Amino acid sequence: MPKSSDQPGLFSRRLRAARLIRGLRQSALAERARLQQTAVSHYESGKRRPSLRNLRRLAEALEVTTDYLVGHTDDPSPPATTGEPLLRDFGRLSSADRELARELVAQLARRASSRERRR
């Protein structure tokens, strides 16, 4: 893992805080990040540090940046460019397909909200 901020345990604290903000248990984060639950536990306790690959997986699963997790920035928000390919492709659709896409996205958003309430 890249060298983090000088503050010991910053990565572990930020990982745990981001997980709790998302309302996830360690096992749910591990599943989302395609990792073992014990790995998440070790990362949060500071016993182990993730590889760059696993750091990226954790950041994606938590919807934060790797820079935030390792202490290079205090802003956890991913860059605004993450939706650009979707918007570009949306613009290429016919009006009928755009309406279908809107309905599908709305349905997916409702499903995600429902899942979050159950956690």
Side-chain angles (χ1 to χ4, degrees):
M1 182 175 93
K3 187 178 181 203
S4 65
S5 165
D6 294 324
Q7 236 179 346
L10 182 62
F11 169 75
S12 299
R13 289 193 308 275
R14 285 194 171 181
L15 177 64
R16 183 173 192 276
R19 177 178 60 78
L20 293 174
I21 286 169
R22 295 286 184 239
L24 298 173
R25 295 177 184 261
Q26 285 182 347
S27 58
L29 173 56
E31 185 177 318
R32 280 186 176 190
R34 298 176 319 276
L35 298 170
Q36 296 293 318
Q37 185 273 326
T38 54
V40 173
S41 176
H42 287 155
Y43 300 152
E44 285 190 8
S45 69
K47 292 178 184 175
R48 290 181 48 206
R49 298 175 79 175
S51 66
L52 184 56
R53 178 177 157 211
N54 288 347
L55 176 65
R56 286 181 182 145
R57 286 179 171 185
L58 289 165
E60 287 174 10
L62 292 167
E63 299 175 14
V64 299
T65 63
T66 55
D67 281 348
Y68 171 75
L69 288 177
V70 299
H72 292 165
T73 182
D74 291 331
D75 182 6
S77 305
T81 60
T82 55
E84 285 180 11
L86 180 62
L87 292 175
R88 182 192 62 233
D89 292 343
F90 187 82
R92 295 177 181 160
L93 299 175
S94 69
S95 60
D97 286 345
R98 277 191 217 134
E99 185 55 35
L100 180 61
R102 282 187 195 100
E103 291 172 13
L104 178 59
V105 169
Q107 184 178 14
L108 291 171
R110 285 191 299 273
R111 188 171 78 178
S113 292
S114 175
R115 269 191 251 145
E116 287 175 8
R117 284 193 298 268
R118 284 184 271 160
R119 288 187 191 141

